[in-house]
Amino acid sequence: SNPITLPMLAAGLRQVLEWTPRRTQATLALIVRRIAAAATTDMGLVCPPTAGHFIGLYFPHDQQEGQDAVEERNGGNREGSGHAGTVSSQQLPRHVAMMVRVHEFLKVRAVHCSVRSGALRVSPHLYTTEEEVDAFLVLLGQAVEVTRVEFASR
C-alpha cells in the first residue's frame, strides 16, 4: 500500500543485474583477501578458506575443540545465535573468550562484526573504501594486541 516501495524494488533489482553477482563476489574477495593477509601475517590469526564475501578469523587453537564447545553451549546447534556473549567468558574455551574480547573492543569503536563459532566474522560491503579497510586493520591489530596482553595475565 506504499506507492514508493515498488519503484524502489525495481531500482534495486536493476542495480543487482547491472553489478552481477560474479562481479560483486570478485570485488568483495579482494577486500577479504587483504584482511586475511594482514590478519594472518601481521597479527598471527588463523583464517580458514572463505566463501570470498566474508571472512572468519580465529586465534590459533584446536578447531574441533572450539566447534564442540560452541555446539555444547548452544544445545547441539553448531551455529547458535551468533552471540557468544550469552555465557560468561570463563565458560568459553580460551581462544573463543579472546575473540569475544576482540569483538567487544571493536564494538565500542563502532566496528560492526560478530563472533560465530569462535571466529570473528567480518563482512565487508561493496561501498567499503580502502581507507575504511585501513582503519579496520589498525583497530583489529590493537584489539588483538590488547586481548593477548589481557589474557597473558590470566
Side-chain angles (χ1 to χ4, degrees):
S1 67
N2 185 340
I4 193 71
T5 55
L6 284 177
M8 288 173 58
L9 174 65
L13 289 174
R14 280 193 300 274
Q15 185 67 63
V16 168
L17 291 173
E18 182 182 323
W19 284 346
T20 76
R22 182 173 299 190
R23 285 178 46 214
T24 299
Q25 177 78 359
T27 300
L28 292 174
L30 292 173
I31 298 169
V32 166
R33 281 196 297 271
R34 180 170 171 221
I35 294 169
T40 56
T41 303
D42 301 337
M43 299 170 215
L45 297 177
V46 176
C47 175
T50 73
H53 60 285
F54 69 91
I55 188 171
L57 301 170
Y58 296 87
F59 280 100
H61 69 286
D62 174 358
Q63 286 190 349
Q64 185 58 48
E65 170 217 343
Q67 281 289 7
D68 290 346
V70 169
E71 186 173 349
E72 179 180 324
R73 182 194 81 205
N74 292 312
N77 179 358
R78 277 202 171 288
E79 293 306 311
S81 67
H83 303 287
T86 58
V87 294
S88 77
S89 61
Q90 289 84 14
Q91 296 171 306
L92 296 171
R94 181 179 179 84
H95 66 278
V96 176
M98 290 174 72
M99 198 52 79
V100 168
R101 177 63 184 104
V102 167
H103 176 256
E104 291 167 352
F105 182 99
L106 295 170
K107 184 177 179 180
V108 298
R109 288 157 181 84
V111 176
H112 301 281
C113 53
S114 63
V115 175
R116 299 206 182 158
S117 298
L120 184 71
R121 181 178 176 178
V122 181
S123 303
H125 296 276
L126 287 173
Y127 53 79
T128 302
T129 66
E130 290 291 318
E131 294 78 19
E132 290 169 329
V133 175
D134 292 341
F136 169 71
L137 291 173
V138 167
L139 287 173
L140 178 62
Q142 291 171 354
V144 167
E145 184 177 336
V146 164
T147 299
R148 283 195 168 118
V149 168
E150 286 178 9
F151 276 76
S153 63
R154 290 186 185 187

